Amino acid sequence: MKRLHRVFSLVDFAPLAVFALVVASALTALSVSSQVPTNTADQAQGNGQAIGLVVKFSDSVDSGKVASAFANRENILLGDAVGQNAVAFKFKTSFTEIQAKSLADALKAEPNVAGVYIDHFIAAARFVAPANGIHWAGPKSTVLRSASAPLSMALVDMWNSATPTNPIAKLSWKPPTNLFGAKILGYRIDSYEPAGKTWSTVVDNTQSATTTFIFNQGLTAGVPLRLRVAAITYVGSTAKVGSYGSSVVIVPTSVPQSPVFANGSTVTSIAPSITWIAQSPAQKGGLPVTYTATASASGQSTVTCTTTNIRCKFAGLSPNVTYSVTLTATNAHGYASALSVVGVQDVYYSKQWYLGSNYGVNAQAAWSITQGNPSTVVAVIDTGITNHPDLKDNVITGYDMISDPANAGDGNGRDADPTDVGDYTPGNSSSWHGTHVAGIIAAEANSIGIIGVAPKVSIEPIRVLGKTGGSESDIAAAINWAIGLKVGTLPINQNPAKVINLSIGSNSYQDCTSYSPTQLAITAAVKANVTMLTAAGNNNNYAAASYPGNCYGNITVGASNYSGDRAYYSNFGYLTKKDGYVGVDISAPGGDDQDSVIPNGGTVPAGGEIYSTLNDGKTVQGNPTYGAEEGTSMASPVAAGVVALMYSVKPNLTDDQVWQILKTTATPFANGTECASLSGYCGIGIVNAGAAVAAVVALR
Ligand SMILES: [Ca+2]
Ligand SMILES: [Ca+2]
Ligand SMILES: [Ca+2]
């Protein structure tokens, strides 16, 4: 994590586990799963078992030769090179974590040894989402007799054009007639929650005898706001809440939000209509909305159509011309920024809500500047890659870094072919996880399938996760190879990465920095100004306990949803006294099947999940396909794609500049959400491609 000073020792975590962070799997192209995830072994999950050591030798020795001698003497088996003069060793018999640390400490004192790290294996396990209820309790109070109810309640809409997207309401009342000898300390205001048919306190105590209260945050336009008020009176040092007056209700308003297209993005004289997703009352700003679509093409006159519906047909388009369309939603307060859809032809673009909706990454704005550059290389350290027509021109030579032939499943240890041979286990289909991740970053801009966040950058697949998971030493070797360092006798990577995506996580052990071979590699990557994005983990728990997100120097990405809040499974920040919430640096859309219904306005495309490239093989590779999945595994590559766009504009950006820009351009979480109210809990905000790329342009 980028901002974290070490917090691991502060928290005591149960040895649960996760790896490769997909929550739900829907492996077929067209039947998108919107059911609650079955949580079956989505991918590798960590058991945290110490399997060996990684020893970094001093630069002045022949590390291969010294390692051989070392292995004989210490009764440990020599494994593969990790890079940076580090070599993996395997324990001949099983070691506990404590025994491994003890041996590591002893070996640190040996001549020629510069560092010793513990290697862990990450094995398959299941994801179980724990319950996470948050409850607010008001203070208790006592007094002999409570005041009577306040009178003459009134609630009015106070929207004003200075803050057009923000609904504001003013509540006023008259004081109670009977105070029973007490004095007014303040007022308590409750709001009605229709879901549970209950009242909940929104202002515990106004601490004032003033009989008006302005609500200028936390309101949602279009969602009825019903309030009631009671006086809080006190005698001596005791206080009591009085009777509630009758309630009042209004529907707060604002300008509308941007509409989202529901189908392909261009119109022609043959197909002259355009459809968009029905907006909820909140998205309409709580007011009636009119939509105006404008079709334009160079050398042609502009054609518009207007409707209050979700579909509009253009009349009088020129034959054989492809038009670009801009759609604007207007209500009595104003209009939403128009959304242009120039050029996107990919047929499943309409499923990719995370690119263009209100809490998506604003990809269109970035694409007006760049769709990426093929010389910008994104290493996807994952399960490998499959053949896919929507990826083929963007995938460059990678490597298969899995040392253990049995786990690799391709008949050998490390080799130059990172083809994903599947991670099928009885009862679980192969995940093709690396293919899904690669498509999110760089699926091609063409007329088929989906479009990646950075559809013109290059994907460098490096395979580290096999049949049953992967080892830390192989992950470290993959990072070292990705950034162009020598890894034993392997050929040097001719296309070093600028961005590395690690959609991997395990909360089975906490310590990264002092004993992890991965930290050794991440530190080298950051030094080389390579930006590393890691998943925050899917445990609905502290991200600071999820490896390798809890290493230092990487950007740890939490998963957000369509509504602009935390996806229910995403790990979150840990509250420290010094730094506030730490552990998640930033969020990006990762999908949330429990946030798939737009209130009173239809459903979120792809069941609220992230639609990307897949393969339909249950065991071995079958045919290329597409499917919806969710997880911080999906959020991290969304962010990686944005970073790749940034480097495409300015390849000599420093890693620190990348982080500063991501931080200052992030979209705030939706008003009233957990992520918005607990600052830093889900990171700084949601990655905004358009704003980030514009900020890079401004640097030049
Ligand atoms: Ca192999
Ligand atoms: Ca291979
Ligand atoms: Ca495509």
Side-chain angles (χ1 to χ4, degrees), residues 400-405 408-419 463:
D400 176 0
M401 206 59 78
I402 302 177
S403 294
D404 175 12
D410 64 349
N412 55 27
R414 291 177 176 175
D415 70 89
D417 179 4
T419 296
R463 189 170 174 244

Side-chain angles (χ1 to χ4, degrees), residues 23 69 132 137 161 206 222 255 266 285 327 341 356 363 374 452 522 526 560 562 569 571 587 612 615 641 645:
V23 171
N132 182 37
S161 56
T206 61
V255 292
T266 54
L327 179 64
V341 288
I522 292 177
V526 169
S560 55
Y562 180 84
Y569 53 80
N571 281 354
S587 282
S612 185
N615 189 280
L645 291 175

Side-chain angles (χ1 to χ4, degrees), residues 385-633:
I385 195 81
T386 60
N387 287 321
H388 203 293
D390 221 358
L391 288 170
K392 60 179 172 36
D393 293 335
N394 286 352
V395 174
I396 62 169
T397 313
Y399 215 82
D400 176 0
M401 206 59 78
I402 302 177
S403 294
D404 175 12
N407 184 34
D410 64 349
N412 55 27
R414 291 177 176 175
D415 70 89
D417 179 4
T419 296
D420 190 342
V421 299
D423 51 10
Y424 165 83
T425 53
N428 292 297
S429 299
S430 286
S431 68
W432 314 114
H433 186 263
T435 298
H436 202 265
V437 167
I440 292 169
I441 298 168
E444 294 170 30
N446 48 22
S447 60
I448 61 160
I450 60 151
I451 183 168
V453 173
K456 301 230 163 82
V457 303
S458 297
I459 295 288
E460 182 169 75
I462 308 179
R463 189 170 174 244
V464 295
L465 301 177
K467 295 258 174 217
T468 53
S471 71
E472 279 192 76
S473 54
D474 286 344
I475 293 169
I479 296 168
N480 284 327
W481 189 84
I483 63 176
L485 296 182
K486 187 170 158 52
V487 176
T489 56
L490 304 186
I492 300 266
N493 180 3
Q494 297 304 305
N495 302 294
K498 279 311 293 177
V499 185
I500 298 177
N501 185 74
L502 276 180
S503 285
I504 290 172
S506 164
N507 72 346
S508 56
Y509 54 96
Q510 300 137 33
D511 204 346
C512 179
T513 49
S514 57
Y515 284 95
S516 167
T518 311
Q519 184 63 56
L520 180 71
I522 292 177
T523 303
V526 169
K527 214 167 147 186
N529 283 314
V530 174
T531 299
M532 164 118 26
L533 290 304
T534 50
N538 296 343
N539 306 90
N540 186 25
N541 211 319
Y542 297 120
S546 178
Y547 160 91
N550 62 5
C551 295
Y552 186 79
N554 45 313
I555 297 173
T556 300
V557 186
S560 55
N561 61 18
Y562 180 84
S563 301
D565 198 2
R566 182 175 71 95
Y568 71 95
Y569 53 80
S570 181
N571 281 354
F572 44 79
Y574 173 76
L575 184 60
T576 68
K577 277 188 180 151
K578 187 168 170 290
D579 298 314
Y581 286 94
V582 296
V584 177
D585 294 315
I586 201 162
S587 282
D592 186 342
D593 67 275
Q594 297 185 7
D595 183 41
S596 63
V597 178
I598 302 168
N600 308 317
T603 55
V604 183
E609 301 190 345
I610 305 295
Y611 207 68
S612 185
T613 44
L614 273 175
N615 189 280
D616 70 3
K618 299 289 177 221
T619 55
V620 298
Q621 226 185 102
N623 297 307
T625 183
Y626 298 86
E629 299 199 335
E630 62 182 346
T632 52
S633 268

